[in-house]
Structures are given as C-alpha cells and as structure tokens.
Amino acid sequence: QLVKKTIRETRYKIRVKEDTLRKELTNSFKKMVYETCGKKDSITPSQRLTIAMLSNWLSVDCTDGHRWVIMMGGIGNGKTTMLDATHYLVHWLSTVDGGQYRKAVNMSYVKITANELVDLYKDNKSDYNIVKNTHMVFLDDLGTEPIFRLDYGNQESPIVDFLLYRYNHQLPLVMTSNLPSASSKNEPSQFEIRYGKRVRDRLNEMCMLVKFEDKSFRGMK
C-alpha cells in the first residue's frame, strides 16, 4: 500500500530561492525562444505566470503540494519550449562551477518524449528502467505515443506502466500534452480514454495543471 509522505520528504532538492529561480527561468525561456524562432525578449503575460508557477514549484520556498506538473494546451504555443527551458535550468544549476549555484541540485534528471519512452520499453528495458527510476523526468508530448503495443500476444501500455510506477514511488514528473480536456462533466477526458480511470485519477491527484492558451508560438510576430 502506498504510504503518503510530506512535501519535504518527497521533494527534490533545489537549494535556490523562488525569486532567483524566476529570474533564471525567464532568461532560460527567452534563450529557448530565440533558438526556436529567432525572437528576442518575446514572452507573453501567460508565459510569465507559468514561469512564476514553475519557479515556486521548483524552489525551496514551494507552497504547492503537487508532486507532478502537467502543461496542457494546443499545438505550438510554447509548452515544449517551457519544458526545455526548465530542463536547461535544472541542468545549469547542477553543473555550473563556482558562484552561489554550485551543487544547488541534488537529484538525477532526464528529458524524454513519450514516443522515445515507448521505444525504450520495446527495445531497451534496462534503459527504460533507468528512466523510470530517475528522480526528475521531463516527459514531452504525452498522448502522441501509441497507446498499446503487443509483446508475444500480450497487450501492454508502457506509459501506463511508467505513470503508475512514478505514482507508487512518489517521484517528481513534469509533462506536456496536447490532449484536450473533457467538454462536460459527463464526458470522459482523453486521458481516461487513452490510459483508463486509474491513471486519470492519479493525474488529477498528483498534477499541478498549467494551461497554455496563447496562439501558436511558432506563428508569433
């Protein structure tokens, strides 16, 4: 049976204050935007709000009890760019030499797409298990992968296996997805249709929801 732990017992260790993380994540996001579409200082109010939410969630000042984050919205409006920026920030905080940020991150981390994770499950179970047990996983494009795969006639769902494992071990997870929410309370969400009620309920429990409602990021002028 799953034993619930406190936020402090389960939270990864990033020994940086929220305001500093907000500044650095903003710079990281702007860097990613410039590398993606060549635009400098291009950032919307909703993206600033997302940066504030993520900075709080990552920081030693965290006030949010969710262990997962899911960024949801339409295609091309900056979710993957924000995920890349957050991953880049964590990497930078863990590797910079000298200065106040040295050894600010005390965890393993990896960024991977849902399709790549399914391919690992099929072709390299050893690496799949390494990813599954990595302390912080940045999972991009949840919902674009094949729902099921057959293994010697047995139907398997690698993403369901992955999410349930992360849930049972209370491991942090940051995700992006284009899957739409249910249009009414009586209609099942795409998450429930793809992964079942068990996973949907755990997503509802674990996730801090961040909605991306800007127009296509790639089409910004």
Side-chain angles (χ1 to χ4, degrees), residues 22-106:
R22 188 184 301 119
K23 175 184 175 182
E24 299 301 341
L25 184 54
T26 299
N27 291 335
S28 177
F29 182 70
K30 287 180 178 179
K31 177 180 184 295
M32 295 297 168
V33 170
Y34 180 72
E35 291 180 354
T36 300
C37 56
K39 300 180 185 300
K40 294 183 178 180
D41 299 324
S42 181
I43 186 168
T44 68
S46 63
Q47 289 161 357
R48 291 190 185 279
L49 177 60
T50 296
I51 287 171
M53 294 173 68
L54 289 171
S55 299
N56 176 268
W57 187 79
L58 287 166
S59 74
V60 295
D61 305 314
C62 178
T63 58
D64 189 281
H66 295 97
R67 293 171 178 84
W68 296 354
V69 173
I70 186 163
M71 294 182 272
M72 296 178 60
I75 295 173
N77 59 7
K79 297 182 301 301
T80 294
T81 304
M82 190 68 74
L83 189 76
D84 286 341
T86 310
H87 175 255
Y88 175 85
L89 175 63
V90 170
H91 175 70
W92 182 77
L93 288 171
S94 69
T95 57
V96 67
D97 291 328
Q100 59 181 322
Y101 300 127
R102 186 175 178 83
K103 298 180 180 178
V105 172
N106 180 25

Side-chain angles (χ1 to χ4, degrees), residues 68 117-118 121 128 132 142 145-148 156-168 191 194-196 198-200 202:
W68 296 354
L117 189 64
V118 170
Y121 184 93
Y128 169 79
K132 191 164 70 169
L142 179 68
E145 79 291 340
I147 302 177
F148 298 110
E156 299 177 335
S157 178
I159 294 297
V160 170
D161 172 80
F162 176 80
L163 292 175
L164 292 179
Y165 183 89
R166 301 288 294 184
Y167 175 84
N168 290 334
F191 289 97
R194 289 183 68 90
Y195 307 119
R198 192 177 177 201
V199 168
R200 181 211 61 189
R202 281 151 179 77

